[in-house]
């Protein structure tokens, strides 16, 4: 793809991402597609020749996958990262108390607290870790680099009873 074509696609991509966020926020529709569709895997032949991603509204794993997929998309555009979208996602998905604690953590550590890194992962997976007290824990595994030089970070994301992220840490809350 030429750089000219790439430059002309960017506004459309951003509009589609923003429209998807509005749908997810306003209608409660899952946008998990961005979390799994962005995972680069070798193409496999299938009867339909396409890939399927599904989610369930209100499910903890889907909610965290929606957040991380959209957040990584917003932060991962190295030519033109969308800080406004990343901030809006934090406002929507994080509890206000956790957002305050996360900002303090970022100030102390000089890293993005959602990703626990200064850069953006190449791949990620989201898995259920079960109920924890009155909340639910989801494990996010972020893979940085490619080929034989990869590094994985495992994060434990705690959702409060009403589905907002109340903590992101490197150890389980259970």
């Amino acid at each position: 793809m030429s750089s000219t074509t790439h430059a002309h696609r960017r506004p459309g991509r951003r509009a589609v991402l923003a429209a998807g966020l509005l749908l997810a926020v306003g209608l409660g529709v899952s946008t998990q597609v961005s979390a799994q569709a962005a995972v680069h895997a070798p193409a496999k032949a299938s009867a339909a020749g396409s890939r399927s991603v599904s989610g369930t509204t209100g499910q903890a794993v889907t909610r965290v996958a929606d957040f991380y997929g959209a957040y990584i998309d917003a932060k991962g555009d190295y030519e033109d990262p969308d800080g406004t979208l990343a901030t809006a996602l934090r406002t929507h998905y994080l509890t206000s108390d956790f957002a305050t604690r996360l900002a303090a953590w970022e100030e102390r550590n000089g890293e993005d607290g959602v990703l626990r890194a200064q850069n953006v992962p190449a791949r990620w997976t989201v898995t259920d870790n079960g109920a924890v007290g009155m909340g639910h824990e989801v494990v996010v595994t972020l893979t940085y680099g490619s080929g034989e030089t990869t590094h994985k970070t495992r994060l434990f994301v705690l959702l409060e009873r009403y589905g907002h992220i109340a903590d992101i840490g490197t150890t389980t809350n259970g």
Side-chain angles (χ1 to χ4, degrees), residues 154-167:
R154 195 168 169 192
L155 302 176
F156 296 87
V157 179
L158 180 64
L159 274 77
E160 68 174 4
R161 184 172 151 186
Y162 301 106
H164 288 92
I165 297 172
D167 193 44

Side-chain angles (χ1 to χ4, degrees), residues 129-159:
N129 209 32
V132 176
M134 294 295 292
H136 202 93
E137 187 173 71
V138 175
V139 179
V140 176
T141 304
L142 305 172
T143 304
Y144 295 89
S146 63
E148 292 185 25
T149 57
T150 62
H151 169 74
K152 291 186 179 192
T153 299
R154 195 168 169 192
L155 302 176
F156 296 87
V157 179
L158 180 64
L159 274 77

Side-chain angles (χ1 to χ4, degrees), residues 31-44:
T31 58
Q32 184 180 6
V33 173
S34 54
Q36 291 181 354
V39 174
H40 301 288
K44 295 181 181 177

